[in-house]
Amino acid sequence: MKRTHKCNQVTSDLIGQEISVSGWIHRRRDHGGVIFFDLRDDNGLVQVVYNPDSKDTFALAETCRNEYVIFSKGIVQARPEGTVNDNLVTGKVEIVASGLEIVNSSQPIPFQLDEYSSVGEETRLKYRFLDLRRAEMQDNLRLRSKVSTSLRNYLNTQDFVEIETPLLTKATPEGARDYLVPSRTFPGSFFALPQSPQLFKQTLMASGFEKYYQFAKCFRDEDLRADRQPEFTQLDIELSFVESEDVISLITEMIQKVFKETLSVDLGEFPRITYKESIEKYGVDKPDLRNPLKLLEVKNLFKECDFKVFSEPANDEDSRIAAMRVPNGKMLTRKQIDDYTDFVGNYGAKGLAYIRVEDPSKGKEGLQSPIIKFIEDSIIDSLLAVLEVQEGDIIFFGAGKRNIVNDSLAPLRDLIAHDLDLLTCEWAPCWVIDFPMFEKNKSGELTPLHHPFTSPNCSIDELKESPLDAVTDAYDVVLNGTELGGGSVRIHDTKMQNTVLNLLNIDDKEADEKFGFLISALQHGCPPHAGLAIGFDRLIMLMTGSDSIRDVIAFPKTQTASCLLTDAPGQAAQDQLEELHIRFQGLDKEE
RNA sequence: GGACCGGUAGUUCAGUUUGGUUAGAACGCCGCCCUGUCACGGCGGAGGUCGCGAGUUCGAGUCUCGUCCGGUCCGCCA
């Protein structure tokens, strides 16, 4: 038996025709004298009816169970009056079966596939092949495919060339821990799986491919999060003879188009915000602009204040005092505020000061707060004026080291918007631009904010003079508070590249060892170039509304980077290890 | 490396606060009945290493310690 129609194609047009369908028994309803199957294939459901008129077929149908794979044939008929199911595309008709073939039976499945029951993550991952049958996962992966097709179409029409780069390559200086692959032919040497194709794509620019893209698998051996997997996919893009403006407008159009084509969503314009402004107003470099709450720097008001919690950061260069006015914050209970205090504690904040505005016309008398008694009236007055407070507001304060204030208030801003349902729209894209070239790490060394191949917006001398003031043509595209992707104008000049590497304490020898081929490419007529990479999995997470990256990847890893389906990683056989010149020392519990 | 939540029937969970007879429910599964259901219905039944290991106790799903697994987060990662 061979199918003539997919399930969803069985509609009123076919009434009276004999057809055959195939698929899984999604649900069966056995009434003794009549049996119904909801038959499922990859595009829908259709009801097949078995009755004793076809004796053998009926007897066979009685033995069927959920998730059996069958072929069935029969005449399409309109459903009797009163039995139409409006929830199904095919609900007006049914197939009256005259034949049935069981192609494959199924053991009872360990969890139900309907939308009414929930399943734990562990079970889903162990039986991923069943989990992927569920409509939610089918929809997610189908959208993923549509989106990648749409992106490819767009780039292809713009004359981009898709080029693959190696997975077995060399460790790049990008900071994350590498996945290593031992070499059989070079004892003691290792390949590294790429953290990104950054160096290869720049090399391709030197090779004269002026527009390149690739859906690139990337590997980073770091701890996992809800939105991080050890292997993930980037849409990697690079262009020659362009400036940042060209990349930004290209990518804006690309993202607008893919949302339009696949979700019928009009994203509108992508506003731009500088890194500096974003940190000041939102505490992060990937602001969620759906959220109307903002941080206001109020440091200057407290320079002369007697309240040490505020006056100390007010007079410290590395500190800030940020105020966040929450309209209608009176809704928040004491319990919630205590929870928020614990919440910011997770990010290192020592406390969370707040002021409730009960009646702004009464000045200090109209406020309720544990801290106002420590603060001079004149400062309170200026504060209320600057914040333009209104009745019912609550104002939260973060005071202390700049990083801690930002790191704690930014997530608090998201949490409060969530709790009070403050989001103003469904989609809010933006570009964050003008990133600094370097920042200082904890040990006071310079580290690149983006990566060491990003071109600073200044001369070599200016860069050497004050590296921390250097701004770059780097740009991040942000959607709803998620960094979708980022890129930059690259260095194409060897002298500038060497200057940057020297500032990062990477000497010529180390540079040559790690990426001599790129330096060499720069020395042999490399055009100016710029590009970016889109985090493809995160894009799909946003587009599907998934809370976990695992829901947009067919076969993901657990938080400890294992695969519950295949049981990877596994042990290697002794002869494999020997071939690779690896001696396993065993696990030493003492260490 | 650290903090927190969870692990009990095939699945999702209750029971753990305050240790005490035979560990429950729903769905699923099995059997019987049922000719118009669509998350069909009715009756009956089977199904448990309470993650694992020690300890406390007359007695541990319940208390203590350790350990493994899953998840969320910090560190880490762009």
Side-chain angles (χ1 to χ4, degrees), chain A residues 165 324 451:
Chain A
T165 55
M324 179 164 64
H451 55 56

Side-chain angles (χ1 to χ4, degrees), chain A residues 173-174 196 198 201-202 437 448-455 487-491 500 504:
Chain A
E174 261 157 300
S196 83
Q198 180 63 33
K201 73 171 169 180
Q202 289 192 242
M437 181 76 187
L449 222 73
H450 194 57
H451 55 56
F453 311 106
T454 300
S455 177
S488 60
V489 173
R490 325 297 184 188
I491 299 170
V500 170
L504 293 171

